[in-house]
Amino acid sequence: MIFCLIGLAIVGMLVSLFISFYVYDLSNLYEFHPLGNLNQKKVLNINAGFDEVSQILTEKFSMIDLKICDFYDPNEHTEVSIKRARQKYPAMPGTILAKTNNIPFPDQTFDKVICIFSAHEIRNMNQRIEFLNELKRVIRISGEVIITEHLRDIPNFLAYNIGFLHFYSKNSWFNCFHKAGLFLEREVKVNPFISTFILRSNGK
């Protein structure tokens, strides 16, 4: 019995590693197709302590006007993986420290605000809504908020077992979007394990 359990654990770990390799290395995730053409756009990229995106964006879009914010707070964001990533991959030069309820830019500054695998690190729902309200505040009338996340759904359960509990369901995200006054323009499935939500202000 013990060997069977050990074997199942090893198989589960190998499956998770393979799926992670597929999601982050084999798929077109970092082609950023849902973002559109960001050249000559004023863009804010927001991370939660680990910025895996900004360097790629500046290489892909040579004429992007990119600002970077990091809302990592070691007292609230206690994931060991984030601490390790911060040590291995320092923040890009010019990164601005922010609070989830205070993005330090004036109203209607950006054409697009991007949060890739960062917003779920805000574990309190009310704080997530406050954060989304801030994102709505700093986008222009015609601007977009772009949230990319794993979801708490069957594909991610099969991929990550109980680790999928670290993510939020689609309904939970939709509830936060609604309460923050953002409406869903479209959802793009980058691959079976990742959703990108394209959001706009509803004017409220």
Side-chain angles (χ1 to χ4, degrees):
M1 177 66 72
I2 293 176
F3 290 110
C4 288
L5 292 174
I6 292 173
L8 288 173
I10 292 173
V11 169
M13 181 179 67
L14 291 175
V15 168
S16 293
L17 288 173
F18 174 78
I19 291 175
S20 292
F21 179 65
Y22 162 73
V23 168
Y24 298 108
D25 296 284
L26 297 183
S27 74
N28 63 356
L29 172 64
Y30 293 113
E31 291 297 316
F32 301 121
H33 295 308
L35 305 185
N37 186 354
L38 301 183
N39 281 317
Q40 298 183 327
K41 300 289 186 181
K42 196 170 182 67
V43 178
L44 174 63
N45 177 40
I46 303 181
N47 68 77
F50 175 43
D51 185 0
E52 56 187 319
V53 172
S54 294
Q55 184 64 44
I56 303 174
L57 289 177
T58 56
E59 292 172 357
K60 184 176 178 63
F61 303 103
S62 59
M63 299 178 68
I64 189 174
D65 182 358
L66 181 67
K67 303 297 182 185
I68 308 167
C69 275
D70 177 358
F71 65 72
Y72 174 75
D73 182 341
N75 296 317
E76 293 193 22
H77 311 125
T78 57
E79 287 291 308
V80 175
S81 58
I82 296 179
K83 293 180 180 179
R84 290 174 178 168
R86 285 177 67 83
Q87 292 172 354
K88 189 173 182 180
Y89 301 101
M92 283 191 65
T95 297
I96 299 169
L97 295 179
K99 298 289 186 181
T100 54
N101 63 352
N102 183 16
I103 306 299
F105 291 97
D107 296 357
Q108 300 184 28
T109 298
F110 297 99
D111 298 299
K112 294 180 189 281
V113 176
I114 301 168
C115 299
I116 297 180
F117 305 132
S118 59
H120 75 276
E121 297 294 349
I122 307 170
R123 307 308 297 172
N124 179 279
M125 177 176 281
N126 290 331
Q127 289 180 357
R128 283 199 302 281
I129 294 168
E130 285 182 335
F131 175 68
L132 291 167
N133 264 308
E134 275 293 277
L135 304 192
K136 184 180 81 167
R137 180 184 65 79
V138 298
I139 61 168
R140 293 169 176 163
I141 297 299
S142 60
E144 294 177 337
V145 173
I146 299 169
I147 307 287
T148 296
E149 289 288 348
H150 292 276
L151 298 179
R152 189 181 295 181
D153 58 11
I154 291 175
N156 281 290
F157 171 71
L158 296 175
Y160 302 110
N161 205 292
I162 62 171
F164 91 133
L165 294 174
H166 187 61
F167 311 131
Y168 296 109
S169 69
K170 186 181 292 188
N171 284 340
S172 177
W173 281 115
F174 284 3
N175 184 39
C176 289
F177 298 155
H178 174 73
K179 289 185 176 179
L182 292 166
F183 77 87
L184 181 68
E185 182 175 271
R186 67 187 185 278
E187 176 187 357
V188 179
K189 292 296 293 184
V190 180
N191 56 56
F193 308 97
I194 295 174
S195 289
T196 292
F197 303 108
I198 314 296
L199 304 155
R200 291 185 182 272
S201 170
N202 65 8
K204 293 183 180 179

